[in-house]
Amino acid sequence: MNRVVFITGTTSGIGKACAEKFAAAGDNIIINGRREERLIELKLSLESQYKIEVLIAAFDVQSKKEVFDCINSFPDKWKSVDILINNAGLALGRDFFDEASLDDWDTMLQTNVNGLLYVSKAILPFMVARNQGHIINLGSVAGDDVYEKGNVYCASKTAVEVISRAMRIDLLQHSIKVTNIKPGAVETEFSTVRFNGDSAKAAKVYEGFTPLTGTDIAQAIFYCASLPANVCINELEITPVAQANGIFLLKNL
Ligand code: NDP
Ligand code: 8X3
């Protein structure tokens, strides 16, 4: 579709699936993440499969300086960002509130909340100048229903929900759409990261039911991003059939 789509966190999971989905439709993609070797591999793969261009924007969304230095130095043709997908994010640990690590809390808030704010703030001048754009944020069912030992991760996703609502009001005057995507359980590297590389513990999260895939979410995001200019999906909750909400998940369904 020849749009410019900027996706944060494309080295794995939902972000990578989004890069593949939009590239397959002919969009040009700006890909981000900290693991640069994976970004190079993804760029080569997408450019060889599709007639599109890919720009690598390797930075840590937690760093205000890295975010603004990189985005402000985009070549001019990449500044016409049509769609920003704020996907980079993580959970660290599942611990009772009184036992959880302050460092884990800092990293989650710094990534899921401040990172999203920094990237949005850096990209917005390009959208405002063109009086168009679409910001798609990755919230979660965890933002609506706090589960035991979910504490600050859940809080970070509630923040994404409120920030999305605030953006939608304040950016109305610039015709910028804002969508909050709220997935349930998606099998990606999410749980491996959450459990500090313990892949056996991560696999247990998805045992006994069929979780969503990154591609399932990418398809929904692509749909939201491809509607007529006068239509905005404000928020979209997507769960596996076995999951009713952020808390109620039926294993062995
Ligand atoms: P993955 O762990 O598979 O992917 C996370 C991506 O975020 C990676 O590309 C990672 O790249 C990137 N990332 C993490 N921290 C940073 C950072 N500081 N700077 C730049 N990039 C970063 O997880 P998912 O694909 O599942 O998660 C994507 C989003 O979806 C997250 O916001 C998550 O909270 C949300 N979500 C996930 C659900 C699930 O069940 N999986 C459900 C609901 C929401 P790198 O490490 O290379 O920097
Ligand atoms: C990720 C889904 O339920 O693990 O946001 O918090 S959950």
Side-chain angles (χ1 to χ4, degrees):
M1 296 174 88
N2 206 27
R3 299 171 295 190
V4 174
V5 183
F6 181 17
I7 309 165
T8 64
T10 56
T11 57
S12 97
I14 296 169
K16 186 176 184 192
C18 285
E20 281 161 356
K21 179 73 189 166
F22 283 84
D27 290 319
N28 299 306
I29 321 286
I30 305 171
I31 56 176
N32 157 267
R34 293 163 299 178
R35 287 169 289 184
E36 202 165 356
E37 66 292 350
R38 288 199 186 191
L39 294 175
I40 293 166
E41 206 178 296
L42 181 61
K43 173 180 163 74
L44 292 175
S45 158
L46 295 178
E47 286 185 339
S48 65
Q49 280 178 271
Y50 311 109
K51 285 198 177 109
I52 59 143
E53 287 182 76
V54 174
L55 178 71
I56 292 179
F59 58 76
D60 184 336
V61 299
Q62 296 174 90
S63 163
K64 211 182 290 177
K65 180 170 169 26
E66 283 184 35
V67 169
F68 282 87
D69 284 355
C70 180
I71 291 174
N72 287 335
S73 67
F74 280 176
D76 279 346
K77 72 173 186 177
W78 288 99
K79 286 184 176 159
S80 55
V81 174
D82 296 291
I83 299 162
L84 164 63
I85 304 177
N86 277 313
N87 164 78
L90 79 178
L92 290 175
R94 267 202 78 163
D95 304 293
F96 286 116
F97 196 91
D98 55 311
E99 294 168 353
S101 147
L102 272 178
D103 287 343
D104 285 351
W105 285 0
D106 284 346
T107 306
M108 286 189 278
L109 292 171
Q110 193 58 28
T111 308
N112 301 355
V113 182
N114 287 349
L116 180 149
L117 293 173
Y118 300 157
V119 174
S120 303
K121 198 77 165 70
I123 290 294
L124 269 168
F126 306 149
M127 291 185 172
V128 168
R130 298 169 67 226
N131 217 34
Q132 67 174 74
H134 193 167
I135 299 179
I136 300 177
N137 295 326
L138 265 292
S140 169
V141 291
D144 284 341
D145 300 298
V146 182
Y147 51 82
E148 188 178 71
K149 303 178 181 174
N151 45 70
V152 169
Y153 176 70
C154 296
S156 75
K157 292 300 177 179
T158 305
V160 171
E161 164 124 16
V162 176
I163 290 165
S164 301
R165 294 213 298 257
M167 281 178 165
R168 198 174 304 117
I169 294 169
D170 289 349
L171 300 176
L172 211 54
Q173 60 183 329
H174 305 294
S175 306
I176 295 169
K177 300 184 189 184
V178 181
T179 300
N180 184 24
I181 303 286
K182 304 197 289 187
V186 191
E187 189 163 14
T188 60
E189 293 180 12
F190 178 84
S191 292
T192 309
V193 170
R194 176 172 229 172
F195 298 123
N196 197 21
D198 185 339
S199 47
K201 198 169 174 184
K204 280 209 170 308
V205 173
Y206 309 106
E207 262 176 20
F209 72 105
T210 307
L212 299 169
T213 63
T215 304
D216 294 327
I217 304 302
Q219 277 173 350
I221 290 176
F222 185 82
Y223 175 76
C224 292
S226 305
L227 291 166
N230 63 317
V231 182
C232 182
I233 294 185
N234 295 338
E235 57 174 59
L236 192 62
E237 179 177 300
I238 316 162
T239 63
V241 172
Q243 186 177 20
N245 57 33
I247 304 168
F248 197 82
L249 191 147
L250 208 55
K251 295 238 179 182
N252 304 312
L253 186 70

